[in-house]
Amino acid sequence: MNVASRKLMSCDDILAWEARQELRYEFDGIRPIAMTRGTAEHAAIQRDLITALTIRLRGKPCQAYGSKLKIVVAGSVRYPDAFVVCSPVTRGATVITDPTVVFEILSESTGDTDRIVKNQEYRDTPSIQRCIMLEQARQAALVFVRRREDWSGRVFADDVMLDMPEIGIEVPLAELYEGVAFPEKASEA
C-alpha cells in the first residue's frame, strides 16, 4: 500500500494558505482547524466585551480588537474572541504578534482547548500578561496572570470588578453579560 506523506506546515505556510481560504482557520502548530460558529450568548458577551474595552481604552496607547484579527502565539495561530495590544499596529495588518491581554469566551465545544491548549500557548507568549476566559452559562471568569515566571489562575464570579492593570482599566464582570439570559438552576431536591 502506498501512503502519501504530508509535509508539516509552518506558521508562515498556514498564514499564506489561510489567506486564500473562504473560511477562517486556526493553526495548532500541526494542522489547520476550521473556526466553529457561535451562539447568541457568545455574540452578546463578545459585543459587550469589545464595547467595554473600547470605551475604557479611548485615548490610551492600547487598543482592543475582536476575532477578525489573528494572533501568533507559541508557534500557533489563534483568533481569540478579543485581545488588547499596546504597541502600534501597522495599517492593513491581519496578524498581531504581541498582544498584552487575551480574552476567550468558553463554549462546550471549545472550552477544553481554550482552558488547556490555548492557555499553555498564551502562557508561553511573553507579551501576554493576562488571559481572561469568560463562561457562557454563568457570569464567571477564569483569569490567568503573569507574575514574573509564574502563570497563576483565579476564578471570579457574580458582581466583581475585573482589574487589568497591564492596560490601565477595570471592568465590572456584570457589564460583560448585559442582555445574556442564563439557564435556570435546577431546584435542589
Side-chain angles (χ1 to χ4, degrees), residues 53-101:
L53 292 170
T54 301
I55 289 168
R56 286 168 176 82
L57 291 171
R58 188 165 282 131
K60 297 184 180 200
C62 300
Q63 296 296 309
Y65 293 93
S67 57
K68 295 289 185 186
L69 290 181
K70 54 190 154 258
I71 62 174
V72 174
V73 290
S76 295
V77 177
R78 300 297 183 181
Y79 283 95
D81 293 303
F83 65 92
V84 175
V85 63
C86 296
S87 61
V89 174
T90 306
R91 181 173 168 76
T94 60
V95 180
I96 303 298
T97 58
D98 59 347
T100 303
V101 179

Side-chain angles (χ1 to χ4, degrees), residues 10-26:
S10 71
C11 198
D12 288 338
D13 292 338
I14 194 70
L15 290 171
W17 175 83
E18 192 225 10
R20 298 185 307 269
Q21 306 306 309
E22 188 174 322
L23 299 176
R24 294 182 309 149
Y25 289 84
E26 289 191 330

Side-chain angles (χ1 to χ4, degrees), residues 33-49:
I33 302 164
M35 297 294 295
T36 60
R37 293 182 176 17
T39 63
E41 293 78 20
H42 183 284
I45 296 166
Q46 186 178 34
R47 174 201 63 221
D48 293 345
L49 173 60

